[in-house]
Amino acid sequence: MPDRHAPSVAPERPEAVTTPLVVAIDGPSGSGKSSTARGVAQKLGLAFLDTGAMYRAATWLVLHSDVEAGDTDAVAALVGSADIAIALDPARPTISINGTDVTEAIREPVVSAAVSAVATNLAVRADLVARQQSIIGSAAQGIVAEGRDITTVVAPEAPVRVLLVADPQARVARRQAELGERVTSSEVTDQVIRRDRDDSTVAQFTEAADGVVVVDSTHLTLSEVIDRIADLAPTSRPTVSTGASSSAVSR
Ligand SMILES: Nc1ncnc2c1ncn2[C@@H]1O[C@H](COP(=O)(O)OP(=O)(O)OP(=O)(O)O)[C@@H](O)[C@H]1O
Ligand SMILES: Nc1ccn([C@H]2C[C@H](O)[C@@H](COP(=O)(O)O)O2)c(=O)n1
């Protein structure tokens, strides 16, 4: 006979945890990935990961070392032992390598000209992909990650995957407008067209993989592109819980 006066204890219920949203954006140089990803992250209240900044920081380190960019083993060892700290706040993304803040330095034309040599080093890619997956997996509030292989390699299971494209002329013109007289038109063409050619030898960002939504920004303003991608985000997120079947809660 149960004791009617015993204090009642609620049965333990498995806690439902919302899975953080991951938005993956890839595309060629100048298609607007960084600006768009930052805007989407701000609009949806997510973190922001610029994976290109990690390749640029690795390149900055190589350029400031006595290692030759073509010495693949030495470059991989140098980058592999480096401490890369990237801030995920879309309002103020910063990046440091081995304690040096290189947020501004990695945008210099000298880094843009050399970055493909480091980004096509397969050992460096394996290292940075693993770091990126760890960052994405730890972003409790969800994250927008952009680069060249996010939809295909880094986060192929992301619920929102976008290939952001734009005509080559528009991409070159945008980059020229951004850099102004700091660079010649042939340097801009090198930064956009030659870099895409080299980078596409190790990452597939010219055609959308299965399930990836193509957004063409050629004739869209930045805010139109941000709205279009933000609208792809589900309004509810699945939950995971111990033993219970998955359900949805509001974002
Ligand atoms: N939809 C748009 N319309 C006009 N200009 C844009 C648009 N999107 C981005 N831009 C501008 O184009 C330039 C390149 O954008 P952004 O740096 O975001 O491109 P990206 O794809 O990240 O390039 P990269 O891969 O070379 O770093 C910036 O000056 C940005 O302000
Ligand atoms: N996921 C990524 C991100 C970037 N890269 C390479 C290709 C670019 O030349 C370089 C810098 O990227 P950006 O800042 O211009 O977007 O890094 C890559 O291979 N994979």
Side-chain angles (χ1 to χ4, degrees):
M1 180 95 176
D3 176 2
R4 290 194 297 121
H5 302 292
S8 65
V9 179
E12 238 176 60
R13 276 211 272 153
E15 208 165 290
V17 179
T18 310
T19 46
L21 176 62
V22 177
V23 178
I25 303 176
D26 285 329
S29 174
S31 57
K33 299 178 300 298
S34 311
S35 331
T36 303
R38 281 179 74 173
V40 172
Q42 286 181 303
K43 186 164 182 182
L44 299 181
L46 307 176
F48 161 63
L49 175 62
D50 175 352
T51 61
M54 297 175 74
Y55 287 95
R56 287 173 177 272
T59 305
W60 181 92
L61 184 65
V62 172
L63 293 174
H64 287 78
S65 73
D66 51 12
V67 167
E68 288 291 323
D71 186 343
T72 49
D73 290 345
V75 167
L78 180 70
V79 175
S81 64
D83 176 23
I84 302 176
I86 187 158
L88 307 178
D89 178 357
R92 199 169 172 277
T94 59
I95 186 162
S96 301
I97 191 158
N98 290 340
T100 302
D101 186 330
V102 292
T103 309
E104 305 289 333
I106 61 170
R107 304 294 161 192
E108 290 297 326
V110 64
V111 174
S112 300
V115 67
S116 295
V118 174
T120 52
N121 180 321
L122 297 182
V124 169
R125 294 197 76 75
D127 171 19
L128 294 191
V129 165
R131 297 190 201 215
Q132 290 155 12
Q133 289 174 330
S134 165
I135 292 169
I136 292 169
S138 310
Q141 79 274 43
I143 193 161
V144 185
E146 60 90 1
R148 305 292 192 287
D149 58 354
I150 313 304
T151 62
T152 53
V153 176
V154 176
E157 308 295 331
V160 179
R161 293 185 300 150
V162 173
L163 182 69
L164 183 59
V165 300
D167 288 350
Q169 301 91 310
R171 296 189 285 112
V172 169
R174 287 174 187 174
R175 191 56 87 207
Q176 183 77 65
E178 180 185 332
L179 297 173
E181 296 187 349
R182 288 164 63 207
V183 287
T184 64
S185 66
S186 69
E187 282 173 317
V188 174
T189 307
D190 179 78
Q191 274 198 31
V192 176
I193 308 297
R194 189 272 313 157
R195 200 151 60 94
D196 279 350
R197 199 172 50 233
D198 290 354
D199 294 336
S200 61
T201 61
V202 290
Q204 164 51 30
F205 55 84
T206 51
E207 276 170 31
D210 273 358
V212 174
V213 176
V214 178
V215 174
D216 187 339
S217 73
T218 309
H219 303 294
L220 298 177
T221 65
L222 179 56
S223 63
E224 285 171 333
V225 182
I226 291 169
D227 289 347
R228 201 164 282 199
I229 295 178
D231 285 348
L232 296 173
T235 48
S236 62
R237 299 289 312 134
T239 58
V240 285
S241 62
T242 40
S245 59
S246 126
S247 62
V249 296
S250 283
R251 174 157 45 88

